[in-house]
Structure formats: structure tokens, C-alpha cells
Amino acid sequence: MSLWEIKVPLAVEQVDATDDLLLELGDERWSVLHDVLIPAAWIVGVFEAKEDAEASWAALAGAVAGAGEPELNEMPDEAWRDAYKLHFKPWQCGRLHWVPVWERETYALPEGDVAIWLDPGMAFGTGNHETTRLCCERLVEWAKTASADARVIDAGCGSGILAISAARLGWREVRAFDNDPEVLSVCEENAALNGLADAITFYEGDLITGWSGGPGDLVMANILGHVLMQFVPQLTGAVAPGGLLVLSGILATEVDQVQAAFTQAVPEWRVEQRIMGEWADVALWRP
């Protein structure tokens, strides 16, 4: 099977804005590559058909400032996977390691640590984006004291990477929902890759309908700041007494606004924010 890569030169000063645009669109076929040494940057998309690549760029081009002329290349599946190996390296957060699947047989995992196996060919991502890392750090820290019977909910789960991380850390009740039914099959494949097909309940839902299974002791919502502020009652209402709400996908420039929206609604909850690069999270502990 061949894949089609479309690679478009991008003005370096537009890297952050383009990265934000792609995050908002939620189309995991596109990514931004930035070589800080040259310096140079590209927006890169990978598609199963040439026609899909051309149509997707035609729809995206008008929203991307500072883009050059696209270059379209056919790539055998093996060549694409080998190219990923140059960029994807293992990384660690506490006792949780995120490791490319091609290192499964050789990666030395310290005793007591656990691994999530990543397959870039399955739209899994690397977890290296700041918004995901912020959530993961909260998750690992919470794991130090939380009961294995605690209930975890991943709202707007995308490729399922946070829900799968929670299940790998040992929680027996992990639920994850997304309003895009197409991503749920990807979530299930990613869970199966990690031997967790039966450990997570994936289902279609949004920030209004997704809470039918009851409240969570840990609720993670890595979405976008302006969306989070539209659903303050639903998100805070989904947290069980004594539970933790982790909000991410928030630009550092808007984190104070997001925090204020939630603390006004639940002033008795303890709150904390952190900033990583241009992104931030807000964590709220319910009494």
C-alpha cells in the first residue's frame, strides 16, 4: 500500500499559528515540521489517495498564512514508517513511558514502570504536544494516591491516548467519548495494540450527552479553551466529590479567562494552573 505525502514550505514565523489552526481543526492527517537549526518549516499531510491530498490542501490553503507551493509525493508504506522513526523517540512521564512500537522488543523498561506503545501509522500521535503532556503529568501525579477503583473519564478523547494511559496505570473503570464516531474505531485499535481492548469503554458523546455513565473521580478534557468555557456546568457536574477536573487545550494567553469562568461557578474548589510553552492547563479539585 502506498501513501501520498503533501509537503508545503511554511514561513517560520507562522509555525505556532499554523500549529494552533491544525489543533483546532482536529485533522490528524496534517502536522507541522520545524527545523530550528536551518531554520525552516513545512506543513505536511499524509493521505491514502492523491485526490484526497489535493482536495484537503485546497480546503486548507486559504487559512494557512505564509505557505509556499505544495510538493506531492507517493510514498510506499514502508518508507513512510521508516521516516517516522527518525522523529519519534520514547519519552517518559513519571513511571509511564510512551514508546514507538518498533522499539517494543528492545526498550528497557525499569521495574515498576509501564509503557504505552505508539504506532504513528494508526493516527496515535506521539503525546509530545504540550496539551497532552500537561494532562499526562496530572494523570501520573494523581495515580500516586488514587485508588485503583477510581473512575476516569476522558472527554473528547481523540485518538484515545489519555484513556489508554489511564488504563495502563491500572484503573479498572476508564470511559472515553468523542463526538466524532470515526475516531472511536481508531481508539479501539490503539487500545488493542496495547492489550487494553477490554479495559476502556469508548463511546460517542459530547460535553452534554457524554456523562450518562455517571460522574468520574478524574475527568480530563483536552479540548480548546473557548469550548471548555461554554460547558462549565456540564464539566464541573461530571466530577464526583473529592475528584479532580483537568482542563487542557488552553492557550497560555487565555488561561486566566478559562480559570475565572470555572472558579466563578465553583468558588469552593481548589484550583491550579500551569503553563508549558504557549499552552496551559487548569486543574480543579472538588471538596
Side-chain angles (χ1 to χ4, degrees):
M1 173 185 173
S2 294
L3 298 175
W4 287 86
E5 178 195 60
I6 185 165
K7 188 173 184 179
V8 186
L10 182 67
V12 171
E13 58 270 20
Q14 294 297 327
V15 164
D16 290 337
T18 305
D19 209 24
D20 295 346
L21 172 65
L22 296 181
L23 182 67
E24 186 170 356
L25 292 176
D27 189 339
E28 295 183 347
R29 297 174 301 179
W30 289 101
S31 61
V32 174
L33 297 181
H34 183 196
D35 189 325
V36 296
L37 298 178
I38 300 178
W42 302 263
I43 180 171
V44 180
V46 180
F47 300 84
E48 293 184 358
K50 180 180 179 181
E51 295 77 10
D52 292 341
E54 293 172 332
S56 183
W57 174 244
L60 185 61
V64 179
E69 290 298 317
E71 177 182 330
L72 190 63
N73 295 299
E74 185 177 13
M75 299 181 66
D77 188 46
E78 295 79 6
W80 173 245
R81 289 177 178 270
D82 288 343
Y84 262 92
K85 294 180 182 181
L86 299 175
H87 301 287
F88 286 178
K89 304 298 179 184
W91 70 276
Q92 179 182 358
C93 180
R95 68 184 188 92
L96 179 63
H97 301 245
W98 293 5
V99 187
V101 69
W102 54 81
E103 296 191 23
R104 193 168 198 159
E105 302 302 322
T106 59
Y107 188 76
L109 193 65
E111 185 176 355
D113 288 10
V114 293
I116 300 296
W117 307 110
L118 308 174
D119 185 349
M122 296 171 68
F124 204 159
T126 65
N128 272 314
H129 195 279
E130 289 90 341
T131 59
T132 310
R133 291 181 72 108
L134 285 163
C135 282
C136 186
E137 289 181 2
R138 297 284 188 190
L139 176 67
V140 171
E141 183 65 25
W142 190 71
K144 294 177 181 178
T145 57
S147 165
D149 294 323
R151 299 156 295 178
V152 179
I153 302 175
D154 182 5
C157 58
S159 62
I161 196 165
L162 291 173
I164 292 168
S165 296
R168 175 65 77 220
L169 286 169
W171 285 295
R172 291 190 282 268
E173 184 179 338
V174 180
R175 308 197 310 268
F177 63 84
D178 200 283
N179 63 2
D180 183 352
E182 293 186 6
V183 309
L184 297 177
S185 61
V186 175
C187 291
E188 291 167 354
E189 291 175 8
N190 291 333
L193 174 69
N194 284 277
L196 297 168
D198 298 324
I200 307 165
T201 301
F202 292 107
Y203 57 99
E204 185 176 352
D206 54 35
L207 293 179
I208 294 176
T209 65
W211 315 110
S212 57
D217 299 293
L218 171 63
V219 177
M220 298 178 289
N222 181 15
I223 307 178
L224 289 170
H226 72 273
V227 176
L228 296 171
M229 287 188 287
Q230 294 174 28
F231 296 94
V232 173
Q234 291 82 5
L235 286 160
T236 55
V239 183
L244 171 62
L245 173 62
V246 177
L247 309 170
S248 191
I250 305 167
L251 289 169
T253 54
E254 64 180 356
V255 65
D256 290 337
Q257 182 183 1
V258 174
Q259 178 173 319
F262 280 83
T263 53
Q264 287 171 10
V266 286
E268 70 279 11
W269 292 27
R270 180 166 68 90
V271 63
E272 178 182 287
Q273 64 169 253
R274 293 177 308 157
I275 294 175
M276 183 181 292
E278 295 191 350
W279 297 92
D281 75 351
V282 175
L284 299 107
W285 287 264
R286 180 176 177 177

